[in-house]
Amino acid sequence: MNTRRDFLQKMAASAMVLPLMPLAGWAKDLDRYDGPVLRVALMGLGGYANRVADAMQACTKAKLVGVISGTPAKIKDWQSRFSIPDKNCYNYDNFDQIKNNKDIDVVYVTTPNALHHDQVIRAAAAGKHVICEKPMAVNAKEGQEMIDACKKAKVKLLVGYRMHFEPKTLEIIRMRKNGDFGKIMFFQGQCGFTIGDPTQWRLNKQLAGGGAMMDIGIYAINGARYMTGEEPVWVTAQETKTDPVKFKEGVDETIQFQFGFPSGAVASCLSTYNMNNLDRFFLDGQKGFASLQPSTGYGPIRGYTNKGELTQPHVTHQTVQMDEMAGIILEGKQPIIPVDGEEALKDLKIIDAIYLAVKTGQKVALQPV
């Protein structure tokens, strides 16, 4: 396993891509860390992969070393930008050969949702740990198969829940666990934006597995769970579609959904591709409250509680996420909120239930976890 000290000099040549961190300070931070480094290959070189790659330049425990893409021009560009050697570049046909590459520890899958299942299973079969963007799969059945495949291959499966490491979010969770809000009664999660290009993959059911719920709604689902600290036992849901041309069959435009929790707390959430200014979490207890707005955007997150404004500093989410995930994979660290495949499977089961509730108009019971 390489250490950060081993490749410090090699990385200095690419330091010019770090717009927010002076070279001297960056090198000083790297020099303080002399532990194992997680060597990452990114699969799918779209917009989010670019964000992750840029953020990783400030990591101390994780390093971008490889790419997997179906577009040769993108690979060449990334090689130039991030000093990636030819031997660490693959396409979707030959990336199984990554099993022979000892310089790559983990594959981070950032492709469209419907591709995650097969790509994660292939990466696991090649003996590599896997980080998969959320939603992990398009349904719970596929998610379970991915978990089983990674267990069989004895590799870790993590999911890109960046908010699980966000300081203001974690402070609210600490306060809730400490009893500062008293008995939790209500959670509200509003997640949405007006989506643009009607030809993009997010509006293609075959690639996305759905619509807004599979992209932005999952934040409210996951947030309801970690903010309340409970798992829902029932769900109801209603769909609204105003543009059936843009939002074709199976691609949801707007869904309102409600949860009930074992304690008696309830949640009311909204997922939409047709409204802006929706990025808000609100948690209400008998003794206090917490509000995040924006709650899940790239930052900075802003938060208030009944005790005042939250002032934890903003750090690029993906930088923190990748360093923390390096600790999980290489050192066995346990995050405050899980980010493994089992955590993602819980969200997928709820998504399945929401779609069933929309279809049937009935309250859908969820099995206790």
Side-chain angles (χ1 to χ4, degrees), residues 54 63 76 84 128 148 186 195 242 257 273 303 354 356:
D54 288 339
K63 178 179 187 288
K76 289 297 183 183
I84 298 171
K128 302 301 179 183
D148 294 344
F186 175 69
I195 199 165
T242 64
F257 54 100
Y273 267 160
I354 289 172
L356 180 60

Side-chain angles (χ1 to χ4, degrees), residues 198-268:
T199 66
Q200 64 182 282
W201 70 263
R202 288 177 177 82
L203 297 176
N204 180 336
K205 187 179 188 305
Q206 298 306 310
L207 290 175
M213 183 62 61
M214 301 299 290
D215 180 22
I216 194 72
I218 190 171
Y219 284 100
I221 294 170
N222 195 245
R225 295 175 49 238
Y226 64 66
M227 292 285 276
T228 64
E230 294 192 82
E231 299 296 335
V233 292
W234 58 258
V235 57
T236 53
Q238 308 82 37
E239 180 177 10
T240 302
K241 185 173 292 191
T242 64
D243 188 346
V245 175
K246 187 173 186 178
F247 302 98
K248 297 178 175 57
E249 181 69 24
V251 178
D252 48 284
E253 174 187 329
T254 301
I255 294 180
Q256 297 176 74
F257 54 100
Q258 302 81 36
F259 296 151
F261 296 96
S263 67
V266 293
S268 176

Side-chain angles (χ1 to χ4, degrees), residues 13-217:
S14 63
M16 64 184 66
V17 304
L18 305 180
L20 300 179
M21 183 174 294
L23 175 58
W26 172 71
K28 183 179 179 182
D29 286 343
L30 295 180
D31 195 52
R32 282 200 295 265
Y33 178 73
D34 197 29
V37 172
L38 186 70
R39 298 164 300 179
V40 181
L42 274 169
M43 176 184 290
L45 306 183
Y48 191 71
N50 276 272
R51 185 179 291 273
V52 172
D54 288 339
M56 283 183 65
Q57 304 311 296
C59 286
T60 58
K61 295 184 178 182
K63 178 179 187 288
L64 175 63
V65 300
V67 293
I68 304 165
S69 174
T71 308
K74 285 186 178 181
I75 293 177
K76 289 297 183 183
D77 175 56
W78 278 57
Q79 284 189 273
S80 175
R81 290 165 56 200
F82 301 110
S83 302
I84 298 171
D86 289 341
K87 68 182 184 64
N88 290 354
C89 297
Y90 300 88
N91 58 47
Y92 296 128
D93 294 326
N94 68 12
F95 85 81
D96 305 274
Q97 296 174 18
I98 204 170
K99 67 182 178 182
N100 301 314
N101 192 328
K102 296 182 179 180
D103 293 332
I104 295 174
D105 303 312
V106 61
V107 174
Y108 191 161
V109 178
T110 64
T111 54
N113 306 335
L115 306 181
H116 293 175
H117 174 267
D118 291 352
Q119 290 169 343
V120 166
I121 290 175
R122 285 176 65 186
K128 302 301 179 183
H129 300 298
V130 189
I131 302 171
C132 182
E133 257 314 299
K134 59 193 177 301
M136 183 173 71
V138 297
N139 56 54
K141 177 179 180 295
E142 285 195 357
Q144 185 64 63
E145 291 170 355
M146 294 158 72
I147 292 170
D148 294 344
C150 289
K151 286 182 178 178
K152 180 180 179 181
K154 295 182 171 55
V155 298
K156 292 186 183 296
L157 171 59
L158 305 182
V159 180
Y161 287 113
R162 59 187 167 82
M163 302 312 299
H164 291 202
F165 307 107
E166 197 281 316
K168 294 182 179 69
T169 300
L170 292 177
E171 174 60 12
I172 290 174
I173 291 170
R174 185 198 67 77
M175 293 177 67
R176 187 253 300 158
K177 289 180 176 179
N178 193 49
D180 291 2
F181 307 130
K183 177 180 170 60
I184 299 302
M185 305 298 293
F186 175 69
F187 171 80
Q188 182 181 53
Q190 299 172 336
C191 299
F193 62 92
T194 301
I195 199 165
D197 180 10
T199 66
Q200 64 182 282
W201 70 263
R202 288 177 177 82
L203 297 176
N204 180 336
K205 187 179 188 305
Q206 298 306 310
L207 290 175
M213 183 62 61
M214 301 299 290
D215 180 22
I216 194 72

Side-chain angles (χ1 to χ4, degrees), residues 288-357:
F289 72 89
S291 176
L292 291 171
Q293 187 176 10
S295 57
T296 64
Y298 294 137
I301 301 302
R302 300 190 184 280
Y304 296 84
T305 75
N306 53 292
K307 296 186 176 183
E309 182 177 4
L310 299 176
T311 58
Q312 289 73 19
H314 171 70
V315 182
T316 301
H317 296 171
Q318 293 81 5
T319 302
V320 178
Q321 172 194 319
M322 295 308 296
D323 269 343
E324 291 294 328
M325 286 186 167
I328 294 169
I329 292 173
L330 299 178
E331 304 166 26
K333 289 182 65 176
Q334 295 298 316
I336 294 172
I337 316 171
V339 291
D340 55 17
E342 297 290 350
E343 170 76 4
L345 182 63
K346 294 174 183 178
D347 285 341
L348 292 174
K349 289 179 177 178
I350 295 170
I351 289 175
D352 286 351
I354 289 172
Y355 283 136
L356 180 60

